[in-house]
Amino acid sequence: MFLYIVRHGDPDYTTDTLTERGKLQAEAVAKRLADAGINRVFSSPLGRARETAAPTCRLLGLDCTIEEWTREIDEETYTPFPDGIPKSVSTIQSTYYRENGNIDLDYQHAFECQGFCDSGMDRALKNISEGGDAFLERLGYRAENGNYRILRPNQEKVALFCHGAMGRVFIASLLHIPLHLMWAGFRYTHTGVTVIEFKNNENGITAPACLCYSDMSHLYAAGPDMLYNSTKHI
């Protein structure tokens, strides 16, 4: 199975919809996913994710299944580090997550990292990991001893439309990346596509492998600008 994890397009957060730019991005990623031959579409219940998924469903004639566990995390991201003022862990200078020995913290000790230790990101990881494991089991792969038992070999290509922070937590949980290092080193672009392969090994055990992360080649191919968050070229 190939799991395509797609962040929503450029949003208007106040109305939970896509901007005109975001709609162009959604059309571009839809063509990419249609060309890839997506078999099933899932989405966060939030408007900006559902609106991003809609062109893919239209092109492929597929229904969109809502996954409640994929809602964007919000209050869980807030921390008073470093000045006592509540702010998202995403807005803190990423170098804090690497200094003073933080870079050597492993997966289990990631929440000892400054900034993360005063946030609710540990709750977010638990909830998203559990939701993700239940989702994958419905698709035929049960979490077991650090890997996944293949209950039913799945040959499908599955798209999941979700959010920047939630998506990074899910990917970190799948690949066992310490969450503070995910925040230190990985951004997630609007309509960025991450592809995770679950290879159907003959011994009945598989592990997720990342084939690409936050890829935007569909924007280059279709013509929309390559701006990220409306302000920075990448």
Side-chain angles (χ1 to χ4, degrees), residues 113-158:
C113 176
Q114 54 195 354
F116 273 71
C117 64
D118 296 321
S119 74
M121 292 296 281
D122 55 342
R123 297 193 304 273
L125 179 60
K126 180 179 184 296
N127 293 336
I128 291 170
S129 296
E130 290 176 353
D133 283 347
F135 172 70
L136 290 168
E137 185 163 345
R138 294 197 302 272
L139 294 173
Y141 302 91
R142 177 188 293 156
E144 183 178 287
N145 194 32
N147 290 309
Y148 289 82
R149 180 166 296 280
I150 303 170
L151 304 178
R152 300 177 304 280
N154 188 336
Q155 304 297 336
E156 293 179 321
K157 294 180 178 180
V158 175

Short mmCIF file of all heavy atoms in Angstrom, two decimals, residues 113-158:
data_model
loop_
_atom_site.label_atom_id
_atom_site.label_comp_id
_atom_site.label_asym_id
_atom_site.label_seq_id
_atom_site.Cartn_x
_atom_site.Cartn_y
_atom_site.Cartn_z
N CYS A 113 12.74 18.02 25.94
CA CYS A 113 13.30 19.15 25.20
C CYS A 113 12.64 20.45 25.64
O CYS A 113 11.41 20.51 25.80
CB CYS A 113 13.11 18.94 23.70
SG CYS A 113 13.66 20.32 22.67
N GLN A 114 13.44 21.49 25.77
CA GLN A 114 12.91 22.81 26.13
C GLN A 114 11.88 23.24 25.08
O GLN A 114 12.06 23.02 23.90
CB GLN A 114 14.03 23.84 26.23
CG GLN A 114 14.92 23.94 25.00
CD GLN A 114 16.21 24.69 25.26
OE1 GLN A 114 16.42 25.22 26.33
NE2 GLN A 114 17.08 24.71 24.26
N GLY A 115 10.82 23.84 25.53
CA GLY A 115 9.73 24.19 24.63
C GLY A 115 8.68 23.09 24.58
O GLY A 115 7.51 23.32 24.85
N PHE A 116 9.10 21.88 24.26
CA PHE A 116 8.17 20.77 24.17
C PHE A 116 7.73 20.29 25.55
O PHE A 116 6.60 19.84 25.72
CB PHE A 116 8.80 19.61 23.38
CG PHE A 116 8.59 19.73 21.91
CD1 PHE A 116 9.25 20.71 21.18
CD2 PHE A 116 7.72 18.90 21.24
CE1 PHE A 116 9.05 20.84 19.82
CE2 PHE A 116 7.51 19.02 19.88
CZ PHE A 116 8.17 19.99 19.16
N CYS A 117 8.60 20.39 26.54
CA CYS A 117 8.26 19.86 27.86
C CYS A 117 7.12 20.61 28.52
O CYS A 117 6.43 20.06 29.40
CB CYS A 117 9.50 19.84 28.76
SG CYS A 117 10.18 21.48 29.13
N ASP A 118 6.87 21.85 28.13
CA ASP A 118 5.79 22.65 28.71
C ASP A 118 4.56 22.72 27.80
O ASP A 118 3.63 23.48 28.07
CB ASP A 118 6.28 24.07 29.01
CG ASP A 118 7.38 24.09 30.05
OD1 ASP A 118 7.29 23.32 31.01
OD2 ASP A 118 8.33 24.87 29.89
N SER A 119 4.56 21.96 26.72
CA SER A 119 3.45 21.97 25.77
C SER A 119 2.58 20.72 25.97
O SER A 119 2.85 19.90 26.84
CB SER A 119 3.98 21.99 24.33
OG SER A 119 4.51 20.71 23.98
N GLY A 120 1.56 20.60 25.14
CA GLY A 120 0.73 19.40 25.15
C GLY A 120 1.05 18.49 23.98
O GLY A 120 0.22 17.66 23.60
N MET A 121 2.24 18.61 23.42
CA MET A 121 2.58 17.80 22.25
C MET A 121 2.67 16.32 22.56
O MET A 121 2.49 15.48 21.68
CB MET A 121 3.88 18.31 21.64
CG MET A 121 3.77 19.70 21.03
SD MET A 121 2.64 19.78 19.61
CE MET A 121 3.69 19.10 18.33
N ASP A 122 2.93 15.97 23.83
CA ASP A 122 2.92 14.56 24.19
C ASP A 122 1.51 13.98 24.06
O ASP A 122 1.34 12.85 23.59
CB ASP A 122 3.47 14.35 25.60
CG ASP A 122 2.76 15.17 26.66
OD1 ASP A 122 2.07 16.16 26.31
OD2 ASP A 122 2.92 14.84 27.85
N ARG A 123 0.49 14.76 24.43
CA ARG A 123 -0.89 14.31 24.26
C ARG A 123 -1.25 14.19 22.78
O ARG A 123 -1.93 13.25 22.37
CB ARG A 123 -1.86 15.29 24.93
CG ARG A 123 -1.70 15.41 26.43
CD ARG A 123 -2.89 16.15 27.05
NE ARG A 123 -3.10 17.46 26.46
CZ ARG A 123 -2.49 18.57 26.86
NH1 ARG A 123 -1.60 18.51 27.85
NH2 ARG A 123 -2.76 19.74 26.30
N ALA A 124 -0.77 15.17 21.99
CA ALA A 124 -1.04 15.12 20.56
C ALA A 124 -0.44 13.87 19.93
O ALA A 124 -1.08 13.19 19.12
CB ALA A 124 -0.49 16.37 19.88
N LEU A 125 0.79 13.55 20.31
CA LEU A 125 1.44 12.36 19.76
C LEU A 125 0.68 11.10 20.14
O LEU A 125 0.46 10.22 19.31
CB LEU A 125 2.89 12.27 20.26
CG LEU A 125 3.68 11.05 19.79
CD1 LEU A 125 3.78 11.01 18.27
CD2 LEU A 125 5.07 11.03 20.42
N LYS A 126 0.26 11.01 21.39
CA LYS A 126 -0.49 9.83 21.83
C LYS A 126 -1.79 9.69 21.06
O LYS A 126 -2.11 8.60 20.54
CB LYS A 126 -0.78 9.93 23.33
CG LYS A 126 -1.57 8.76 23.91
CD LYS A 126 -1.77 8.93 25.40
CE LYS A 126 -2.47 7.71 26.02
NZ LYS A 126 -3.84 7.52 25.49
N ASN A 127 -2.55 10.77 20.96
CA ASN A 127 -3.85 10.70 20.29
C ASN A 127 -3.72 10.39 18.81
O ASN A 127 -4.48 9.59 18.25
CB ASN A 127 -4.61 12.01 20.50
CG ASN A 127 -5.01 12.24 21.94
OD1 ASN A 127 -5.14 11.30 22.71
ND2 ASN A 127 -5.21 13.51 22.31
N ILE A 128 -2.76 11.03 18.15
CA ILE A 128 -2.60 10.82 16.71
C ILE A 128 -2.00 9.45 16.43
O ILE A 128 -2.39 8.79 15.46
CB ILE A 128 -1.75 11.96 16.11
CG1 ILE A 128 -2.56 13.27 16.16
CG2 ILE A 128 -1.33 11.65 14.67
CD1 ILE A 128 -1.76 14.50 15.81
N SER A 129 -1.08 9.00 17.26
CA SER A 129 -0.52 7.66 17.08
C SER A 129 -1.61 6.60 17.21
O SER A 129 -1.69 5.67 16.40
CB SER A 129 0.58 7.40 18.10
OG SER A 129 1.67 8.25 17.90
N GLU A 130 -2.45 6.75 18.23
CA GLU A 130 -3.53 5.77 18.43
C GLU A 130 -4.54 5.84 17.28
O GLU A 130 -4.98 4.80 16.77
CB GLU A 130 -4.22 6.03 19.77
CG GLU A 130 -3.34 5.67 20.96
CD GLU A 130 -3.99 6.01 22.29
OE1 GLU A 130 -5.07 6.65 22.29
OE2 GLU A 130 -3.43 5.64 23.33
N GLY A 131 -4.90 7.06 16.87
CA GLY A 131 -5.82 7.20 15.75
C GLY A 131 -5.25 6.66 14.47
O GLY A 131 -5.94 6.00 13.68
N GLY A 132 -3.95 6.92 14.24
CA GLY A 132 -3.29 6.43 13.04
C GLY A 132 -3.20 4.92 13.02
O GLY A 132 -3.39 4.28 11.97
N ASP A 133 -2.89 4.32 14.17
CA ASP A 133 -2.81 2.85 14.22
C ASP A 133 -4.17 2.22 13.93
O ASP A 133 -4.25 1.20 13.22
CB ASP A 133 -2.30 2.40 15.60
CG ASP A 133 -0.80 2.57 15.76
OD1 ASP A 133 -0.11 2.80 14.75
OD2 ASP A 133 -0.32 2.48 16.90
N ALA A 134 -5.25 2.79 14.46
CA ALA A 134 -6.59 2.27 14.19
C ALA A 134 -6.93 2.41 12.71
O ALA A 134 -7.53 1.51 12.10
CB ALA A 134 -7.62 2.98 15.06
N PHE A 135 -6.57 3.54 12.13
CA PHE A 135 -6.78 3.80 10.70
C PHE A 135 -6.05 2.77 9.85
O PHE A 135 -6.62 2.16 8.94
CB PHE A 135 -6.30 5.21 10.39
CG PHE A 135 -6.27 5.60 8.94
CD1 PHE A 135 -7.44 5.79 8.22
CD2 PHE A 135 -5.04 5.82 8.30
CE1 PHE A 135 -7.40 6.18 6.89
CE2 PHE A 135 -5.00 6.20 6.97
CZ PHE A 135 -6.19 6.38 6.27
N LEU A 136 -4.77 2.54 10.16
CA LEU A 136 -3.97 1.59 9.38
C LEU A 136 -4.48 0.17 9.55
O LEU A 136 -4.45 -0.63 8.60
CB LEU A 136 -2.51 1.70 9.78
CG LEU A 136 -1.82 2.99 9.34
CD1 LEU A 136 -0.46 3.14 10.01
CD2 LEU A 136 -1.67 3.05 7.82
N GLU A 137 -4.96 -0.16 10.75
CA GLU A 137 -5.50 -1.51 10.94
C GLU A 137 -6.74 -1.72 10.07
O GLU A 137 -6.93 -2.81 9.51
CB GLU A 137 -5.81 -1.76 12.41
CG GLU A 137 -6.25 -3.19 12.68
CD GLU A 137 -6.17 -3.59 14.13
OE1 GLU A 137 -5.53 -2.87 14.93
OE2 GLU A 137 -6.77 -4.64 14.48
N ARG A 138 -7.56 -0.69 9.93
CA ARG A 138 -8.72 -0.82 9.04
C ARG A 138 -8.29 -1.02 7.60
O ARG A 138 -9.03 -1.62 6.80
CB ARG A 138 -9.60 0.43 9.15
CG ARG A 138 -10.26 0.61 10.51
CD ARG A 138 -11.43 1.58 10.46
NE ARG A 138 -11.08 2.91 9.97
CZ ARG A 138 -10.64 3.89 10.73
NH1 ARG A 138 -10.45 3.70 12.05
NH2 ARG A 138 -10.36 5.08 10.22
N LEU A 139 -7.10 -0.52 7.27
CA LEU A 139 -6.57 -0.69 5.91
C LEU A 139 -5.80 -1.99 5.74
O LEU A 139 -5.34 -2.29 4.64
CB LEU A 139 -5.68 0.51 5.55
CG LEU A 139 -6.39 1.85 5.43
CD1 LEU A 139 -5.38 2.98 5.23
CD2 LEU A 139 -7.40 1.84 4.28
N GLY A 140 -5.62 -2.73 6.83
CA GLY A 140 -5.00 -4.05 6.72
C GLY A 140 -3.66 -4.21 7.40
O GLY A 140 -3.02 -5.25 7.24
N TYR A 141 -3.22 -3.22 8.20
CA TYR A 141 -1.89 -3.27 8.82
C TYR A 141 -2.01 -2.96 10.32
O TYR A 141 -2.38 -1.84 10.69
CB TYR A 141 -0.95 -2.26 8.14
CG TYR A 141 -0.82 -2.52 6.66
CD1 TYR A 141 -1.68 -1.89 5.75
CD2 TYR A 141 0.11 -3.43 6.17
CE1 TYR A 141 -1.58 -2.14 4.39
CE2 TYR A 141 0.20 -3.69 4.81
CZ TYR A 141 -0.64 -3.05 3.93
OH TYR A 141 -0.56 -3.31 2.58
N ARG A 142 -1.68 -3.94 11.14
CA ARG A 142 -1.81 -3.80 12.59
C ARG A 142 -0.44 -3.53 13.23
O ARG A 142 0.51 -4.28 13.01
CB ARG A 142 -2.40 -5.05 13.22
CG ARG A 142 -2.50 -5.00 14.75
CD ARG A 142 -2.92 -6.33 15.33
NE ARG A 142 -4.27 -6.65 14.94
CZ ARG A 142 -4.76 -7.90 14.89
NH1 ARG A 142 -3.97 -8.93 15.17
NH2 ARG A 142 -6.02 -8.10 14.54
N ALA A 143 -0.35 -2.45 14.02
CA ALA A 143 0.88 -2.13 14.73
C ALA A 143 1.23 -3.26 15.69
O ALA A 143 0.39 -3.71 16.47
CB ALA A 143 0.73 -0.82 15.49
N GLU A 144 2.50 -3.69 15.62
CA GLU A 144 2.92 -4.83 16.44
C GLU A 144 4.43 -4.83 16.61
O GLU A 144 5.17 -4.97 15.64
CB GLU A 144 2.46 -6.14 15.76
CG GLU A 144 2.76 -7.40 16.54
CD GLU A 144 2.22 -8.63 15.82
OE1 GLU A 144 0.98 -8.82 15.81
OE2 GLU A 144 3.04 -9.38 15.24
N ASN A 145 4.88 -4.62 17.84
CA ASN A 145 6.30 -4.76 18.17
C ASN A 145 7.20 -3.88 17.32
O ASN A 145 8.28 -4.28 16.88
CB ASN A 145 6.73 -6.23 18.05
CG ASN A 145 8.07 -6.51 18.68
OD1 ASN A 145 8.45 -5.88 19.67
ND2 ASN A 145 8.82 -7.45 18.11
N GLY A 146 6.75 -2.64 17.06
CA GLY A 146 7.57 -1.70 16.31
C GLY A 146 7.38 -1.77 14.81
O GLY A 146 7.86 -0.89 14.07
N ASN A 147 6.71 -2.81 14.33
CA ASN A 147 6.43 -2.96 12.90
C ASN A 147 4.92 -3.07 12.71
O ASN A 147 4.15 -2.73 13.60
CB ASN A 147 7.14 -4.20 12.34
CG ASN A 147 8.65 -4.02 12.29
OD1 ASN A 147 9.14 -3.03 11.76
ND2 ASN A 147 9.38 -4.98 12.84
N TYR A 148 4.48 -3.55 11.56
CA TYR A 148 3.07 -3.73 11.28
C TYR A 148 2.84 -5.12 10.71
O TYR A 148 3.51 -5.53 9.76
CB TYR A 148 2.56 -2.67 10.29
CG TYR A 148 2.49 -1.29 10.89
CD1 TYR A 148 3.63 -0.50 10.97
CD2 TYR A 148 1.30 -0.79 11.41
CE1 TYR A 148 3.58 0.76 11.55
CE2 TYR A 148 1.24 0.47 11.99
CZ TYR A 148 2.38 1.24 12.06
OH TYR A 148 2.33 2.48 12.63
N ARG A 149 1.91 -5.86 11.33
CA ARG A 149 1.53 -7.16 10.80
C ARG A 149 0.55 -6.95 9.65
O ARG A 149 -0.39 -6.16 9.76
CB ARG A 149 0.90 -8.03 11.88
CG ARG A 149 0.48 -9.42 11.36
CD ARG A 149 0.17 -10.38 12.46
NE ARG A 149 1.37 -10.65 13.27
CZ ARG A 149 2.34 -11.50 12.93
NH1 ARG A 149 2.27 -12.16 11.77
NH2 ARG A 149 3.36 -11.69 13.73
N ILE A 150 0.79 -7.65 8.55
CA ILE A 150 -0.07 -7.53 7.37
C ILE A 150 -1.27 -8.44 7.57
O ILE A 150 -1.18 -9.66 7.44
CB ILE A 150 0.70 -7.89 6.10
CG1 ILE A 150 1.95 -7.02 5.96
CG2 ILE A 150 -0.21 -7.74 4.88
CD1 ILE A 150 2.89 -7.46 4.85
N LEU A 151 -2.41 -7.85 7.90
CA LEU A 151 -3.63 -8.62 8.08
C LEU A 151 -4.25 -8.97 6.74
O LEU A 151 -4.77 -10.08 6.56
CB LEU A 151 -4.64 -7.82 8.91
CG LEU A 151 -4.16 -7.34 10.28
CD1 LEU A 151 -5.25 -6.51 10.95
CD2 LEU A 151 -3.76 -8.51 11.15
N ARG A 152 -4.21 -8.01 5.83
CA ARG A 152 -4.73 -8.19 4.47
C ARG A 152 -3.82 -7.41 3.53
O ARG A 152 -3.82 -6.16 3.59
CB ARG A 152 -6.17 -7.67 4.35
CG ARG A 152 -7.17 -8.33 5.25
CD ARG A 152 -8.56 -7.70 5.12
NE ARG A 152 -8.53 -6.26 5.38
CZ ARG A 152 -8.51 -5.73 6.59
NH1 ARG A 152 -8.48 -6.50 7.66
NH2 ARG A 152 -8.50 -4.41 6.75
N PRO A 153 -3.04 -8.06 2.70
CA PRO A 153 -2.17 -7.31 1.78
C PRO A 153 -2.99 -6.32 0.97
O PRO A 153 -3.97 -6.68 0.32
CB PRO A 153 -1.56 -8.40 0.90
CG PRO A 153 -1.61 -9.64 1.74
CD PRO A 153 -2.90 -9.52 2.54
N ASN A 154 -2.62 -5.07 1.03
CA ASN A 154 -3.38 -3.99 0.42
C ASN A 154 -2.56 -3.42 -0.73
O ASN A 154 -1.43 -2.96 -0.54
CB ASN A 154 -3.66 -2.91 1.49
CG ASN A 154 -4.61 -1.83 1.00
OD1 ASN A 154 -4.74 -1.60 -0.19
ND2 ASN A 154 -5.26 -1.16 1.94
N GLN A 155 -3.12 -3.44 -1.93
CA GLN A 155 -2.43 -2.93 -3.11
C GLN A 155 -2.89 -1.52 -3.48
O GLN A 155 -2.51 -1.00 -4.53
CB GLN A 155 -2.68 -3.88 -4.29
CG GLN A 155 -2.27 -5.32 -4.05
CD GLN A 155 -0.79 -5.49 -3.82
OE1 GLN A 155 0.02 -4.65 -4.24
NE2 GLN A 155 -0.40 -6.56 -3.14
N GLU A 156 -3.68 -0.89 -2.62
CA GLU A 156 -4.26 0.40 -2.94
C GLU A 156 -3.28 1.56 -2.76
O GLU A 156 -2.27 1.44 -2.07
CB GLU A 156 -5.49 0.66 -2.06
CG GLU A 156 -6.64 -0.28 -2.33
CD GLU A 156 -7.82 0.01 -1.42
OE1 GLU A 156 -7.61 0.31 -0.24
OE2 GLU A 156 -8.96 -0.06 -1.92
N LYS A 157 -3.65 2.67 -3.38
CA LYS A 157 -3.02 3.96 -3.14
C LYS A 157 -4.06 4.83 -2.43
O LYS A 157 -5.14 5.07 -2.97
CB LYS A 157 -2.56 4.61 -4.45
CG LYS A 157 -1.44 3.82 -5.13
CD LYS A 157 -1.00 4.48 -6.42
CE LYS A 157 0.15 3.70 -7.06
NZ LYS A 157 0.59 4.33 -8.34
N VAL A 158 -3.72 5.25 -1.23
CA VAL A 158 -4.67 5.91 -0.34
C VAL A 158 -4.21 7.33 -0.06
O VAL A 158 -3.05 7.56 0.28
CB VAL A 158 -4.78 5.13 0.99
CG1 VAL A 158 -5.67 5.86 1.98
CG2 VAL A 158 -5.28 3.71 0.74
#
